[in-house]
Amino acid sequence: MQPIDRRRIPAMAREAHWQAADGHSIRRIDWPGAGEERRGSILFLQGRGDHYEKYLETLEEWHRDGWRVTSSDWRGQGASGRLGADAVTGHISDFSRWIDDLAFLWERWKAETPGPHVLAGHSMGGHLVLRAAAERRVDPDAMVLSAPMLGFTNQHLPVALMHLVAKGMARIGDPRRPAWKWSEKPGEMPASRANLLTHDQDRYEDEAWWREHRPDLVMGPGSWGWVERAYASMRGLFEPGVLEGVKVPVLLLATSNDQLVDIKAIREAARRLPHGELVEFGEEAHHEILREVDAVRDRAMDAVANFLAQVAPAR
């Protein structure tokens, strides 16, 4: 089998745009035909500031395993415009807008693809996928969540108090302004960022390569509005009965070494989900488990394959 070139759109994949309910143009990529086997369909959503180019390796592997694969930007990032006060800050007025977009895409994508239908997401994408299922806006046969953003790490104060601080910061100035500083040059990635995401330097450098060749992918920090709405959305998921209402099988991949999202919140979600299954990594993995060194990534991909073989067998 041919090796996967992470810096090239696969020959079978097709890039296009879809129109949200309000007409906003959002980018997507599709592998319209399955591989030798016909397993079903996977819709994958990325994290904050991400773009699907970072996950071409994973998406292509799923396709080669027989899945019909689609990935989409979130509005306001990737190559789907910006909603902040400048060209690089990630902003959203409310996470419900992204939930509306996902629900709109889901109904159309589900109608045009073979089942079983699997919904997958990384980090913020994992959070939004889970929230959409909890709100019954989507009805997947199974879900896969990679390092889902269910809480922030390094919180030195109670979450409710941190949320209150974020509310104040969003109100005293333009909520679209950046909430943190990355570097002297807007959108430029700080040197220490790799230590948060992956131990694999080559895979980490893929992102910079794509940003250089597709400058509209460049994104920097999130806005104070994004931070405040993230707290509100995450806290809402942990209200009594919310996670318990998600009845479909859910695989969660997470690492105790994550410096971005809270492993304790992920463990709690796995316990409360009626059909939740957690595969946990340690020091060997940073936040982007699906872009880690081969030994870690292979274990994660095998866990996904085994999970889907059990809960979403080909029809």
Side-chain angles (χ1 to χ4, degrees):
M1 185 175 292
Q2 288 278 34
I4 296 172
D5 186 346
R6 300 189 304 268
R7 300 182 183 182
R8 181 179 181 181
I9 300 297
M12 287 290 293
R14 299 292 180 266
E15 297 180 281
H17 284 77
W18 60 279
Q19 304 299 310
D22 64 355
H24 190 100
S25 182
I26 301 176
R27 193 179 61 138
R28 65 188 283 176
I29 186 169
D30 291 87
W31 281 252
E36 292 183 3
E37 300 179 41
R38 284 198 165 273
R39 292 292 317 283
S41 303
I42 298 175
L43 175 60
F44 178 79
L45 289 306
Q46 303 87 33
R48 193 209 72 79
D50 278 350
H51 42 84
Y52 57 63
E53 287 86 348
K54 289 177 63 174
Y55 294 93
L56 290 174
E57 181 179 23
T58 294
L59 302 173
E60 172 68 7
E61 283 189 20
W62 284 337
H63 165 71
R64 292 184 181 187
D65 285 343
W67 293 93
R68 191 333 188 148
V69 179
T70 298
S71 184
S72 173
D73 284 341
W74 295 110
R75 76 162 67 205
Q77 63 180 51
S80 298
R82 295 291 179 270
L83 305 174
D86 55 57
V88 296
T89 301
H91 176 72
I92 194 73
S93 58
D94 193 85
F95 277 33
S96 61
R97 171 169 285 189
W98 281 328
I99 297 295
D100 289 344
D101 287 344
L102 176 54
F104 188 84
L105 173 62
W106 176 259
E107 288 303 318
R108 286 148 186 80
W109 175 83
K110 184 181 173 184
E112 66 190 24
T113 57
H117 293 96
V118 177
L119 195 48
H122 169 70
S123 196
M124 185 186 80
H127 166 86
L128 290 165
V129 162
L130 183 57
R131 175 174 160 180
E135 295 180 0
R136 294 175 174 76
R137 302 294 302 280
V138 297
D139 58 346
D141 294 296
M143 294 192 293
V144 176
L145 312 180
S146 164
M149 188 188 79
L150 303 181
F152 295 136
T153 57
N154 302 317
Q155 300 293 290
H156 304 297
L157 296 171
V159 171
L161 186 53
M162 293 297 294
H163 187 194
L164 186 63
V165 170
K167 282 183 179 180
M169 294 300 293
R171 288 173 179 170
I172 63 175
D174 187 344
R176 300 173 300 165
R177 74 191 189 282
W180 63 90
K181 189 175 183 179
W182 264 15
S183 61
E184 294 302 320
K185 182 179 179 182
E188 184 177 280
M189 295 184 291
S192 61
R193 183 168 174 267
N195 297 330
L196 300 175
L197 300 183
T198 175
H199 292 87
D200 192 302
Q201 188 62 31
D202 287 340
R203 285 189 173 100
Y204 178 74
E205 291 174 358
D206 292 341
E207 181 179 10
W209 188 94
W210 280 107
R211 286 163 65 111
E212 179 183 352
H213 288 79
R214 293 184 168 185
D216 53 349
L217 301 179
V218 173
M219 177 168 273
S223 68
W224 274 112
W226 179 88
V227 172
E228 190 280 318
R229 289 291 83 197
Y231 273 117
S233 190
M234 290 187 295
R235 293 180 70 191
L237 267 179
F238 285 93
E239 288 290 325
V242 175
L243 292 172
E244 289 79 3
V246 178
K247 303 301 184 183
V248 302
V250 183
L251 175 68
L252 302 95
L253 306 173
T255 171
S256 59
N257 193 36
D258 205 314
Q259 299 302 306
L260 295 175
V261 301
D262 184 11
I263 184 64
K264 295 188 297 295
I266 296 173
R267 289 169 179 159
E268 180 182 346
R271 289 194 301 267
R272 289 177 53 184
L273 289 164
H275 305 288
E277 176 184 337
L278 174 62
V279 175
E280 186 172 325
F281 297 81
E283 292 181 356
E284 72 277 15
H286 287 317
H287 179 61
E288 293 184 342
I289 298 168
L290 298 178
R291 300 180 68 237
E292 262 293 355
V293 294
D294 286 347
V296 174
R297 186 176 177 278
D298 289 350
R299 179 186 163 200
M301 292 296 287
D302 286 346
V304 173
N306 293 334
F307 170 77
L308 293 179
Q310 295 176 32
V311 303
R315 292 174 180 166

